[in-house]
């Protein structure tokens, strides 16, 4: 049995040579870079930044972003090498299947549902905050019962709030699901337009806001530790684990491998360029926010609006912030709905999920059934759960996937050193080891016991699905 669990997949050609319609190759380096930026810049820069500064890191939130970026940069290099070796849409799932075996691949793929599906729900919840803020600005109001989750996390337990469901979050998810259903060209075109607009608006906020920064708000830069990961260096580490959520998505480019025109060349460019651009924007925005208003006042659902509102002369900028946030958060949800169905598709082709997950629409050339399943699941989670519960689960699932990718590069360098690599991780033993250690560090010291309990429950459900269906229907054992 152990041999079956550790069985590795070495032939990925069947993923492109399956019967029926194939995905359409339409994406170049700019489209892939925009896909990465579209997935990254959203909930982190418009929501998590303020919460992490107010509750954990203070002005040193800038350092938290640097630590998280270093962790991601090691992993990004590993993703880039794998993308040239295995240009398939399964991303970390496919990479783990080639190096760590089938059970590990399933475990990683199951956690990637957290990375893409659940993270889209978290971002959709954030979208509601800025949408209602914009409506308030216009003198319009929605009933509280329709803009809040019916469940909340208080005193380490879930409680009922009395709300019905988060209507705006459901509406934006279902609208973007329809867009993803009708085609990758249409989806990527809308995403490119969204990315261009939101990056321009973020640059405007940084440049204009810098002229109103009060340096006194940056002192002390590292507030005194108050225990329980509140300020001090322990707060910075907790803040890094929290803002790690803000970087999730730079590797979403790898899920579009089978829709890239030249994946061996363009995927490394898209992955590394999107991470670099987003890191610069994050650090600039974090510095401006904590300089516009005292950091302990930024723990709101729309911290950028909160910071700008402290300066009445910037009233015109609030409009741009709200519009930019809505665009930015929408593009994140869009990219996640693009990514998750393609991972389901690859897992379905491997036999670990029912065949229905491997189907492609004959006209639109998209994994249409997966897209509908993904959209419905994301909408349900966004309707019911609050941001804090969803965000921590996403970060943990992603860190686990990142560990597997970094380990996979080292394993494949030893087991198949002669494979042609158009991109190679520089100083691979050191870089990959640092990637593994930095991700494990954030996992061990940045998460609390409740998050580990939730992850344990999620893992048990995944293992039950694997042994209940995937183990018996694996295509690898039938060949």
């Amino acid at each position: 049995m152990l041999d079956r669990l550790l069985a590795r997949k070495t032939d990925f050609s069947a993923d492109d040579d399956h019967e029926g319609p194939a995905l359409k190759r339409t994406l170049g380096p700019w489209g892939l870079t925009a896909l990465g930026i579209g997935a990254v810049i959203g909930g982190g820069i418009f929501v998590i930044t303020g919460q992490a500064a107010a509750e954990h890191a203070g002005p040193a939130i800038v350092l938290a972003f640097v630590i998280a970026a270093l962790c991601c940069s090691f992993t990004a290099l590993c993703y880039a090498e794998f993308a040239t070796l295995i240009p398939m849409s399964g991303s970390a799932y496919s990479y783990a299947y080639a190096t760590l075996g089938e059970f590990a691949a399933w475990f990683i793929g199951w956690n990637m549902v957290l990375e893409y599906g659940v993270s889209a729900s978290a971002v959709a919840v954030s979208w509601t905050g800025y949408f209602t803020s914009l409506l308030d600005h216009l003198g319009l109001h929605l009933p509280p019962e329709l803009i809040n989750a019916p469940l909340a996390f208080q005193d380490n337990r879930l409680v009922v709030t009395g709300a019905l469901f988060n209507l705006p979050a459901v509406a934006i998810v279902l609208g973007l699901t329809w867009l993803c259903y009708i085609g990758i060209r249409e989806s990527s075109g809308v995403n490119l337009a969204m990315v261009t607009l939101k990056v321009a608006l973020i640059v405007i906020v940084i440049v204009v806001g810098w002229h109103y920064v009060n340096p006194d708000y940056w002192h002390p830069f590292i507030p005194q530790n108050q225990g329980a990961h509140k300020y001090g260096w322990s707060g910075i580490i907790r803040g890094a684990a929290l803002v790690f959520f803000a970087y999730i998505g730079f590797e979403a480019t790898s899920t579009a491998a089978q829709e890239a025109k030249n994946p061996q060349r363009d995927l490394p460019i898209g992955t590394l360029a999107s991470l670099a651009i987003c890191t610069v924007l994050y650090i600039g925005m974090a510095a401006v926010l904590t300089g516009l208003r005292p950091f302990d006042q930024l723990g709101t659902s729309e911290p950028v609006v909160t910071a700008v509102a402290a300066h009445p002369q910037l009233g015109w900028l609030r409009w741009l912030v709200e519009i930019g946030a809505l665009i930015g958060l929408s593009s994140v949800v869009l990219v996640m709905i693009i990514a998750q169905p393609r991972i389901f598709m690859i897992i379905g082709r491997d036999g670990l999920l029912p065949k229905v997950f491997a189907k492609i629409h004959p006209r639109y050339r998209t994994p249409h059934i997966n897209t509908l399943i993904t959209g419905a699941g994301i909408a349900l989670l966004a309707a019911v759960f609050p941001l804090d519960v969803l965000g921590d689960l996403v970060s943990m699932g992603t860190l686990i996937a990142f560990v597997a990718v970094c380990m996979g590069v080292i394993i494949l360098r030893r087991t198949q050193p002669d494979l042609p690599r158009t991109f190679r991780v520089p100083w691979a033993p050191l870089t990959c080891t640092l990637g593994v250690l930095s991700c494990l560090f954030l996992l061990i010291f940045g998460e609390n016991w409740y998050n580990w309990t939730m992850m344990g429950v999620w893992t048990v459900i995944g293992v039950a699905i694997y042994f209940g269906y995937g183990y018996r229907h694996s295509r690898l054992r039938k060949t």
Side-chain angles (χ1 to χ4, degrees):
M1 180 177 178
L2 183 60
D3 290 342
R4 293 182 177 183
L5 296 179
L6 298 178
R8 292 183 296 171
K9 183 178 178 181
T10 57
D11 182 11
F12 289 84
S13 60
D15 290 339
D16 256 345
D17 298 336
H18 67 99
E19 296 181 359
L23 297 174
K24 193 183 299 182
R25 292 193 179 274
T26 60
L27 300 177
W30 286 107
L32 290 167
T33 300
L35 200 67
I37 296 174
V40 173
I41 296 182
I45 202 166
F46 293 114
V47 181
I48 301 296
T49 301
Q51 294 178 354
E55 300 171 10
H56 300 291
I61 185 65
V62 172
L63 293 181
F65 272 115
V66 171
I67 292 171
L70 284 174
C71 174
C72 290
S73 64
F74 298 135
T75 311
L77 292 169
C78 296
Y79 266 98
E81 177 168 324
F82 261 128
T84 66
L85 286 169
I86 309 172
M88 294 293 114
S89 296
S91 187
Y93 161 79
S94 294
Y95 309 156
Y97 214 155
T99 56
L100 302 176
E102 182 176 279
F103 182 73
W106 168 260
F107 177 66
I108 299 303
W110 183 241
N111 281 316
M112 289 177 74
V113 176
L114 294 177
E115 180 178 358
Y116 295 120
V118 180
S119 70
S121 302
V123 174
V125 172
S126 304
W127 191 91
T128 296
Y130 279 94
F131 180 68
T132 54
S133 176
L134 180 61
L135 290 183
D136 291 342
H137 208 172
L138 296 172
L140 303 173
H141 307 282
L142 290 175
E145 293 83 1
L146 295 179
I147 59 175
N148 292 298
L151 299 175
F153 185 61
Q154 296 177 1
D155 300 324
N156 291 329
R157 62 191 179 94
L158 285 174
V159 298
V160 177
T161 65
L164 295 177
F165 67 101
N166 192 330
L167 176 60
V170 172
I172 187 63
V173 169
L174 295 182
L176 293 173
T177 298
W178 169 81
L179 183 62
C180 293
Y181 184 94
I182 64 174
I184 186 66
R185 183 187 296 275
E186 292 77 9
S187 303
S188 63
V190 171
N191 179 64
L192 182 59
M194 286 182 174
V195 167
T196 302
L197 285 172
K198 73 177 177 181
V199 169
L201 291 171
I202 290 169
V203 171
I204 291 173
V205 171
I206 293 173
V207 172
V208 174
W210 192 262
H211 295 286
Y212 295 87
V213 162
N214 181 355
D216 292 340
Y217 292 156
W218 291 334
H219 299 287
F221 185 67
I222 303 178
Q224 186 174 357
N225 191 321
Q226 298 180 15
H229 297 299
K230 193 172 183 69
Y231 310 137
W233 277 102
S234 66
I236 293 174
I237 298 303
R238 172 59 180 149
L242 194 60
V243 302
F244 182 83
F245 173 81
Y247 285 100
I248 292 172
F250 71 85
E251 79 294 349
T253 53
S254 61
T255 67
Q258 288 170 266
E259 289 148 297
K261 296 176 183 177
N262 185 350
Q264 280 83 1
R265 183 199 67 183
D266 296 342
L267 284 174
I269 294 174
T271 301
L272 298 173
S274 59
L275 178 61
I277 293 170
C278 293
T279 298
V280 172
L281 293 176
Y282 275 154
I283 292 174
M285 182 67 90
V288 168
L289 290 187
T290 53
L292 288 177
R293 192 160 191 158
F295 64 85
D296 56 357
Q297 299 177 18
L298 295 176
T300 66
S301 59
E302 57 278 336
V304 184
V305 169
T306 302
V308 170
H311 301 268
Q313 60 271 47
L314 293 178
W316 63 272
L317 190 58
R318 175 178 172 177
W319 288 95
L320 288 180
V321 168
E322 289 169 338
I323 294 172
L326 291 175
I327 293 172
L329 296 170
S330 298
S331 70
V332 174
V333 177
L334 175 65
V335 173
M336 296 308 179
I337 298 176
I338 291 173
Q340 182 63 67
R342 284 149 180 81
I343 295 171
F344 280 150
M345 177 189 71
I346 295 297
I347 297 176
R349 289 180 183 174
D350 288 334
L352 304 186
L353 286 175
K355 291 182 179 180
V356 67
F357 284 91
K359 291 186 177 296
I360 293 177
H361 196 284
R363 176 185 173 189
Y364 298 127
R365 308 271 288 277
T366 59
H368 57 300
I369 296 177
N370 293 348
T371 299
L372 294 177
I373 293 172
T374 298
I378 291 171
L380 178 63
L381 290 175
V384 175
F385 290 99
L387 176 64
D388 51 0
V389 172
L390 298 172
D392 282 328
L393 269 178
V394 171
S395 294
M396 293 189 73
T398 306
L399 283 165
I400 291 170
F402 283 7
V403 168
V405 171
C406 292
M407 290 174 58
V409 169
I410 297 176
I411 293 172
L412 210 59
R413 286 283 186 96
R414 290 183 176 275
T415 58
Q416 300 187 54
D418 298 326
L419 282 177
R421 293 168 167 85
T422 56
F423 178 89
R424 298 176 67 90
V425 175
W427 307 294
L430 175 62
T431 301
C432 297
T433 302
L434 289 175
V436 170
L437 293 178
S438 59
C439 290
L440 289 177
F441 181 79
L442 291 181
L443 265 175
I444 295 171
F445 295 102
E447 304 293 346
N448 57 39
W449 69 269
Y450 180 80
N451 296 335
W452 280 106
T453 302
M454 293 279 285
M455 177 57 69
V457 172
W458 179 259
T459 300
V460 169
I461 295 172
V463 170
I465 294 174
Y466 173 75
F467 284 107
Y469 182 90
Y471 181 79
R472 293 183 292 110
H473 293 86
S474 172
R475 181 177 170 183
L476 184 63
R477 281 190 290 277
K478 292 180 180 179
T479 56

